[in-house]
Amino acid sequence: MIPTAPSPAFRDDPEIPTPWTAAQARRAADQPAAALPVITAADVVPIIAGHDLWDMWQIADADGRTVIVEGCSWWFFLATPRFADPDDRHDAARIRLTSHGADGWRDHGNAFPDGFTPGSREWSGSAVLDDDGVTLTMYFTASGRKGGPRTFEQRLFETRGRFADGRVGDWSMPVESIAADGELYLRADQEDAVDGRIKGFRDPGYFRDPADNAEYLLFSGSAGRVDDVHDGVVGVARRASSDDAWTLAPPLVEAIGVNSELERPHIVHRDGLYYLFWSTQAKRFADGLGAPTGLYGMVASDMSGPWRPLNGSGLVAANPPAEPYQGYCWWVTGEGDVISFVDFWGLACKPLDDATVRRAHFGGTAAPWFRLALQGDTATVVVPR
């Protein structure tokens, strides 16, 4: 049975989790310094011909440093063949291995064999390489059930395999890392989206705390204690060592009444501080807040918080007003480099209510890199990387 009880040794302060408030999020509507450059045609370079790629994460060591092998960093993307409507990609997503070096991107094929994972499609996660330089743990989201009808059920799984000679394989049978308890976190078991929204229990992001070597899985969740469409949380599970089972703990951050999806959460440890990042879209905020689609984050002195919004609002980097949909899913490496994918670019205010328009303007590839300068409660975009 998967353990779900909160750990009494971690985060038992009644003021936890830290709220991301409407007043803080509202400040993000007026932070022009966070706007990224407009993406141009020269930036939209396919990684794999005939395929769309989006959410990504690198192979990292347990301390969060990007692994470099043969002069390349190694990245997993979600990928599908190009569909007539790019919105259909979510129903067929597979995890795919790529590398990035001086000669650009190279494709290394699907991470898992056909039919290997327990869902009907594979959604985002994280990957950690052991000190032996070969043993790789993949944390990922299984969406739906293998062989079952299309649903928006989300479960967190992990598997261990080998990374060698530009390939991954020899995976162990996937095991469920941790399950939602229905109290701290809603169970994400919807059959259909409601008003274009789904509840969350996805995107496991690994972090090892240098203070005590305890391990954490962050995830995008929905609060279990409220009845509000804007119920997004950064969830967390903890274990004292890799020999222990994961245990659910209260969320690190909650956005009750503010935002419904705090996606792809991950932590970078820098100068003794803990920088927590996530991505969200403008349409996921409550009406009237006006915050843009972008990379958001908070900082704390330790894992227990309290967490303080970076730059006063939480906003770190945003799509520019001229192209508010051009990029998404920002991922910050341990070195402070930031990658995302090209979403709907070059729209020039065209509406996105037609599949032909979506296909013509969906990038489906890596967006230009940039770097973050982190100092205390401030995160500054440095362009280019």
Side-chain angles (χ1 to χ4, degrees):
M1 184 174 179
I2 301 167
T4 59
S7 167
F10 174 66
R11 299 176 52 74
D12 54 1
D13 188 320
E15 296 183 2
I16 291 169
T18 297
W20 188 24
T21 69
Q24 291 165 351
R26 193 174 289 114
R27 295 175 194 160
D30 186 26
Q31 290 188 251
L36 295 168
V38 170
I39 288 175
T40 68
D43 300 317
V44 187
V45 179
I47 294 175
I48 306 172
H51 285 69
D52 286 326
L53 279 71
W54 62 107
D55 300 7
M56 75 299 296
W57 58 97
Q58 87 278 40
I59 295 179
D61 67 19
D63 292 330
R65 293 170 297 192
T66 302
V67 169
I68 303 297
V69 176
E70 298 180 354
C72 294
S73 55
W74 296 78
W75 292 82
F76 294 102
F77 282 81
L78 298 188
T80 61
R82 286 169 60 98
F83 296 119
D85 185 346
D87 284 359
D88 291 341
R89 71 190 189 276
H90 302 292
D91 294 334
R94 298 286 302 275
I95 297 172
R96 198 165 182 112
L97 178 64
T98 69
S99 61
H100 184 264
D103 58 350
W105 291 97
R106 289 190 178 185
D107 175 39
H108 300 272
N110 288 333
F112 300 127
D114 293 349
F116 174 74
T117 55
S120 60
R121 60 269 206 215
E122 301 158 8
W123 285 0
S124 299
S126 56
V128 183
L129 191 67
D130 282 6
D131 291 341
D132 63 11
V134 174
T135 306
L136 182 70
T137 303
M138 179 83 84
Y139 301 95
F140 68 97
T141 308
S143 181
R145 299 262 175 168
K146 182 166 56 179
R150 172 188 180 270
T151 71
F152 289 103
E153 182 182 22
Q154 299 149 50
R155 295 173 294 156
L156 308 185
F157 279 82
E158 59 191 79
T159 175
R160 288 171 68 81
R162 285 175 52 84
F163 168 58
D165 302 320
R167 303 179 67 85
V168 290
D170 297 332
W171 297 106
S172 64
M173 184 64 65
V175 296
E176 194 166 2
S177 303
I178 195 75
D181 60 350
E183 298 179 4
L184 285 173
Y185 304 102
L186 284 179
R187 296 183 177 91
D189 56 5
Q190 289 172 265
E191 293 186 4
D192 296 296
V194 177
D195 296 328
R197 299 173 188 260
I198 61 173
K199 298 303 181 182
F201 196 77
R202 61 181 181 273
D203 306 340
Y206 176 90
F207 175 71
R208 186 173 73 183
D209 189 350
D212 59 4
N213 288 324
E215 297 175 300
Y216 296 86
L217 274 187
L218 281 65
F219 54 87
S220 174
S222 301
R225 63 178 179 80
V226 298
D227 183 16
D228 192 318
V229 67
H230 300 102
D231 59 357
V233 300
V234 173
V236 66
R238 181 183 185 272
R239 64 187 182 190
S241 75
S242 58
D243 294 327
D244 298 324
W246 295 107
T247 304
L248 281 182
L252 301 183
V253 172
E254 65 179 14
I256 308 304
V258 175
N259 189 287
S260 60
E261 289 183 350
L262 312 185
E263 296 196 286
R264 306 288 319 282
H266 54 289
I267 287 176
V268 170
H269 188 262
R270 177 72 60 82
D271 299 329
L273 295 175
Y274 297 72
Y275 289 90
L276 165 64
F277 298 102
W278 67 85
S279 296
T280 194
Q281 301 179 68
K283 63 184 179 182
R284 302 307 181 201
F285 285 97
D287 290 344
L289 296 184
T293 296
L295 172 68
Y296 289 80
M298 292 194 179
V299 62
S301 298
D302 58 58
M303 283 295 294
S304 293
W307 297 84
R308 306 180 297 275
L310 290 167
N311 302 328
S313 67
L315 181 62
V316 174
N319 283 336
E323 292 291 344
Y325 309 108
Q326 71 172 20
Y328 194 56
C329 189
W330 292 266
W331 186 263
V332 186
T333 72
E335 296 76 29
D337 295 324
V338 186
I339 188 175
S340 63
F341 74 91
V342 183
D343 203 352
F344 296 106
W345 70 284
L347 280 170
C349 299
K350 295 185 188 75
L352 280 169
D353 54 3
D354 181 83
T356 303
V357 173
R358 291 195 292 269
R359 179 68 276 167
H361 292 274
F362 183 71
T365 189
W369 301 76
F370 63 89
R371 181 174 282 270
L372 282 183
L374 300 173
Q375 185 172 9
D377 291 13
T378 300
T380 305
V381 172
V382 181
V383 179
R385 180 177 64 158

